[in-house]
Amino acid sequence: MAIKLIRQDVQSLFDAYHERKSEYDSLRAAGNWAGAILSGGMVLELALKLVICKHLGVPRLPVAFQVHDLELLFYCSGHQQALNTNKILQRNFRVVLENWSLAQRYEGAKSQADADLLHQALFEISDGVVSFLTSYL
């Protein structure tokens, strides 16, 4: 059985990852906390999808991973064991799960404290979730 792949190849996903990261940085710098939180989650989602492609050795993301379920994507990334054994990474991932969803597209303002909490969970140098994943991109 062949794996059905979506149109976006790994390079397109990588370009989107960098574009979303740039948007995230701009939104934080402008004090747009809700927008930064939404973009930060998308940065993580794209990083996970890139890691999945690498883990599976495929040039395009399989359709099965065209989802926004961060827990499923992390599990399928091949790094669940690291999440299970690294308590700080696990805590940071939980912070993201509790503070991000695509439903935020329709919600009101967030505080700088909310944005800072998510930023630390994503980009903490040693155990931020995106920081951890970037070594596998």
Side-chain angles (χ1 to χ4, degrees), residues 22-92:
S22 178
E23 291 168 355
Y24 169 81
D25 292 337
S26 296
L27 289 164
R28 272 188 62 81
N32 184 332
W33 310 123
I37 290 170
L38 182 61
S39 290
M42 290 189 290
V43 169
L44 174 56
E45 182 180 319
L46 284 163
L48 285 165
K49 289 177 179 183
L50 283 162
V51 171
I52 287 170
C53 288
K54 187 172 183 180
H55 177 66
L56 296 176
V58 296
R60 298 178 189 281
L61 185 69
V63 171
F65 301 109
Q66 199 171 8
V67 299
H68 308 293
D69 183 338
L70 298 179
E71 288 178 290
L72 172 70
L73 293 172
F74 204 109
Y75 179 80
C76 295
S77 74
H79 297 287
Q80 186 67 39
Q81 183 62 29
L83 185 64
N84 291 343
T85 58
N86 183 328
K87 297 300 180 191
I88 299 170
L89 180 64
Q90 194 176 89
R91 181 202 68 211
N92 285 336

